[in-house]
Amino acid sequence: MNGILFLATCFIIFNYVQSTNIEGSGSDDLIEQNVWNDVDDKVVEALGGLDDELLTEHVCNESTITQLQQEIILTTHNELRRSLAYGKQRNKRGLMNSARNMYKLDWDCELAALAANWSASCPQHFMPQLVLGSNAQLFKRFYYYFDGHDSTVHMRNAMKYWWQQGEERGNEDQKNRFFARRNYFGWANMAKGKTYRVGCSYIMCPDTESALFTCLYNEKAQCEKEMIYENGKPCCEDKDCFTYPGSKCLVPEGLCQAPQMTKDSGDSMQCNNPQVSDVTRNFTLEQHNFYRSRLAKGFEWNGETNSSQPKASQMIKMEYDCMLERFAQNWANKCVFAHSSHYERPNQGQNLYMSSFVNPDPRSLIHTAVEKWWQELEEFGTPIDNVLTPELWDLKGKAIGHYTQMAWDRTYRLGCGIANCPKMSYVVCHYGPAGNRKNNKIYEIGDPCEIDDDCPIGTDCEKTTSLCVISKEWKK
């Protein structure tokens, strides 16, 4: 019975999104008012579940935000993101596209502390890039004489001011890509689909006549022509949430929940490279295997055939390799954005990514790199026969070569290096054995493994991921 109810809920969600998402159809103030009424109702509901004695306590060390304020900020953000996911968000004309794979925001004490430290002197400018890293920042100043003294009202008005930039200036690109000329910087950062952490501060300025409200987000939206969020319907199943490994779908919120990723998590790999932490290594490995698992199960989309990519029958689960990391780190340290020669990486594939943002969070940097490489399948696609012919490579090898190396089913070892270069942040990943061999299949097409005999010799079937795992006996 629960399964029937679940499917019915998803059907209703899909039809609601389809019926309301009409670009250019026109809308009235009632839609906008209903969205903000829903936000206010959810804030009241969230606060009703809190202990009154805790409402005035600070939620993090060195934080300027109380638990009451945190709930208001989080609930407001997430309800607005939910309205976007369901296609209820007003555009300059009509309604914005509904969103798939939209993540729910969680509170981040480190971001909140960074915001508080920067805000202490109430500066008039954005945080320096070296300090901000790969995070995004929004801030708004309030003057008591004009805006009153109510901090809660200030916070709500700031978030409304930022969000309404999207409504007033319009998100008119069909793929929801960011364009600086639209001047919707605030909305874009609040609406960034893969953002999942936020931390804010509220400071009374030294002049005692004003206050400053600041929010930091773990992802930047202001990258020219890059997607703010993905078109589609809100999630109904965990498989609909595919930005971060281990994500869950929150039904009926239609938002995705990212797994908790802490600095202390992950197995020790003892690679002896201070540039890459074990957390980053584990996260990189998980992300590669997450995408390979989705490919094996037939969950990925091919931009050339405009259909689901065929399932993989013998996709091997990757393992992390410290030797490959040393090769990758040595090349990354040269700060040359070009592939190394083959003799410098014997039988190793290589993927490169650079960002103009310096001093980013390593996990965010490498996550963006892996995501960009994998998105080549959806953007450019591969032929239905899945063979990497010389003609295909000459035609669009540069456009799909990163994806094909990640998806090469005989590749099972991975190691990555990260470097902060003078003019860029740099990611280099090495793969072994090397893929991208011409006139070979990228992977074997077929149903994913069910039993060990379905996998290549020396590997066992892992049913939960549909990947073939290198057996312990084979390693010996």
Side-chain angles (χ1 to χ4, degrees), residues 52-251:
D52 291 343
E53 295 180 0
L54 298 177
L55 293 180
T56 57
E57 289 191 5
H58 295 278
V59 291
C60 307
N61 295 331
E62 304 179 13
S63 174
T64 62
I65 296 292
T66 65
Q67 186 170 357
L68 168 65
Q69 293 167 336
Q70 175 192 289
E71 289 297 328
I72 292 172
I73 294 167
L74 278 179
T75 304
T76 300
H77 274 82
N78 287 325
E79 278 304 300
L80 291 171
R81 290 165 72 85
R82 182 173 180 268
S83 74
L84 185 59
Y86 277 97
K88 294 171 60 179
Q89 182 55 47
R90 183 182 179 184
N91 205 348
K92 187 174 183 180
R93 295 179 299 174
L95 301 177
M96 291 188 186
N97 295 320
S98 56
R100 68 168 181 166
N101 202 30
M102 174 73 68
Y103 276 76
K104 183 175 183 178
L105 300 189
D106 288 324
W107 194 259
D108 188 296
C109 289
E110 291 187 4
L111 292 180
L114 184 61
N117 291 336
W118 172 84
S119 300
S121 61
C122 283
Q124 300 281 355
H125 51 78
F126 283 97
M127 191 177 295
Q129 181 60 52
L130 283 172
V131 179
L132 188 61
S134 56
N135 304 312
Q137 179 188 17
L138 299 178
F139 70 93
K140 186 168 176 58
R141 192 161 184 165
F142 295 91
Y143 294 89
Y144 296 139
Y145 181 80
F146 298 103
D147 303 309
H149 290 76
D150 192 323
S151 60
T152 302
V153 172
H154 291 170
M155 292 178 189
R156 185 183 187 279
N157 287 345
M159 291 184 285
K160 190 169 185 177
Y161 169 76
W162 297 330
W163 189 260
Q164 286 182 328
Q165 291 176 3
E167 301 175 6
E168 295 170 357
R169 295 154 194 176
N171 172 34
E172 297 182 347
D173 182 71
Q174 288 300 312
K175 292 186 177 180
N176 311 311
R177 291 170 295 189
F178 180 87
F179 292 94
R181 68 175 185 270
R182 303 228 62 87
N183 198 21
Y184 50 20
F185 178 85
W187 170 80
N189 279 293
M190 288 182 72
K192 182 74 173 181
K194 67 178 184 178
T195 299
Y196 69 95
R197 291 183 284 126
V198 63
C200 304
S201 74
Y202 181 86
I203 297 283
M204 178 186 290
C205 294
D207 60 14
T208 69
E209 296 178 354
S210 60
L212 190 66
F213 179 56
T214 307
C215 285
L216 298 183
Y217 305 83
N218 73 296
E219 289 285 347
K220 278 185 169 71
Q222 63 272 23
C223 301
E224 194 70 11
K225 296 184 181 180
E226 288 196 11
M227 194 180 297
I228 301 169
Y229 70 90
E230 299 175 76
N231 289 336
K233 59 181 180 177
C235 71
C236 283
E237 302 177 67
D238 291 345
K239 73 175 185 180
D240 299 332
C241 301
F242 47 85
T243 299
Y244 303 101
S247 298
K248 302 292 183 183
C249 175
L250 303 176
V251 181

Side-chain angles (χ1 to χ4, degrees), residues 395-410:
L395 180 64
K396 53 182 177 182
K398 292 182 179 180
I400 62 162
H402 303 96
Y403 155 75
T404 53
Q405 175 59 87
M406 283 182 65
W408 205 262
D409 61 359
R410 280 82 79 197

Side-chain angles (χ1 to χ4, degrees), residues 276-285 320 362-363 366 418:
V276 184
S277 68
D278 279 341
V279 172
T280 301
R281 294 183 184 102
N282 278 285
F283 180 65
T284 306
L285 181 62
Y320 204 84
R363 283 180 302 173
I366 210 158
I418 300 174

Side-chain angles (χ1 to χ4, degrees), residues 174-465:
Q174 288 300 312
K175 292 186 177 180
N176 311 311
R177 291 170 295 189
F178 180 87
F179 292 94
R181 68 175 185 270
R182 303 228 62 87
N183 198 21
Y184 50 20
F185 178 85
W187 170 80
N189 279 293
M190 288 182 72
K192 182 74 173 181
K194 67 178 184 178
T195 299
Y196 69 95
R197 291 183 284 126
V198 63
C200 304
S201 74
Y202 181 86
I203 297 283
M204 178 186 290
C205 294
D207 60 14
T208 69
E209 296 178 354
S210 60
L212 190 66
F213 179 56
T214 307
C215 285
L216 298 183
Y217 305 83
N218 73 296
E219 289 285 347
K220 278 185 169 71
Q222 63 272 23
C223 301
E224 194 70 11
K225 296 184 181 180
E226 288 196 11
M227 194 180 297
I228 301 169
Y229 70 90
E230 299 175 76
N231 289 336
K233 59 181 180 177
C235 71
C236 283
E237 302 177 67
D238 291 345
K239 73 175 185 180
D240 299 332
C241 301
F242 47 85
T243 299
Y244 303 101
S247 298
K248 302 292 183 183
C249 175
L250 303 176
V251 181
E253 293 181 54
L255 299 178
C256 299
Q257 181 85 60
Q260 293 295 321
M261 291 175 280
T262 65
K263 289 186 175 180
D264 298 324
S265 64
D267 297 329
S268 176
M269 295 184 180
Q270 299 179 339
C271 287
N272 195 29
N273 175 16
Q275 297 297 105
V276 184
S277 68
D278 279 341
V279 172
T280 301
R281 294 183 184 102
N282 278 285
F283 180 65
T284 306
L285 181 62
E286 287 177 2
Q287 195 175 2
H288 275 78
N289 284 325
F290 176 63
Y291 282 133
R292 285 166 74 89
S293 173
R294 286 181 57 84
L295 184 63
K297 295 176 179 179
F299 292 161
E300 293 300 318
W301 190 261
N302 187 320
E304 179 173 316
T305 63
N306 200 30
S307 61
S308 295
Q309 181 70 355
K311 298 177 182 179
S313 62
Q314 295 187 339
M315 183 68 66
I316 299 177
K317 187 174 184 178
M318 284 187 168
E319 297 182 344
Y320 204 84
D321 190 299
C322 292
M323 182 193 71
L324 292 183
E325 182 182 300
R326 286 195 294 274
F327 276 94
Q329 189 63 56
N330 287 339
W331 184 250
N333 290 340
K334 296 180 184 294
C335 291
V336 176
F337 189 62
H339 286 288
S340 60
S341 59
H342 289 291
Y343 76 84
E344 293 177 286
R345 46 182 171 93
N347 197 21
Q348 298 173 32
Q350 185 182 65
N351 279 349
L352 309 176
Y353 173 79
M354 62 82 66
S355 171
S356 58
F357 296 125
V358 294
N359 195 34
D361 174 75
R363 283 180 302 173
S364 295
L365 176 66
I366 210 158
H367 169 263
T368 301
V370 175
E371 188 180 46
K372 290 289 184 186
W373 297 335
W374 192 260
Q375 283 176 346
E376 292 174 354
L377 172 64
E378 184 171 346
E379 187 170 356
F380 303 106
T382 55
I384 194 169
D385 62 7
N386 209 34
V387 175
L388 192 62
T389 63
E391 293 77 19
L392 173 62
W393 188 258
D394 292 340
L395 180 64
K396 53 182 177 182
K398 292 182 179 180
I400 62 162
H402 303 96
Y403 155 75
T404 53
Q405 175 59 87
M406 283 182 65
W408 205 262
D409 61 359
R410 280 82 79 197
T411 295
Y412 64 92
R413 293 184 291 117
L414 166 72
C416 300
I418 300 174
N420 286 313
C421 301
K423 295 183 179 180
M424 66 176 177
S425 299
Y426 196 17
V427 175
V428 179
C429 284
H430 280 203
Y431 302 82
N436 287 347
R437 299 187 182 278
K438 294 179 182 180
N439 291 319
N440 280 264
K441 289 183 179 180
I442 301 166
Y443 62 86
E444 290 295 330
I445 295 175
D447 291 331
C449 70
E450 290 286 342
I451 58 175
D452 292 346
D453 288 345
D454 295 334
C455 289
I457 296 174
T459 63
D460 301 322
C461 180
E462 188 176 74
K463 287 187 178 181
T464 55
T465 62

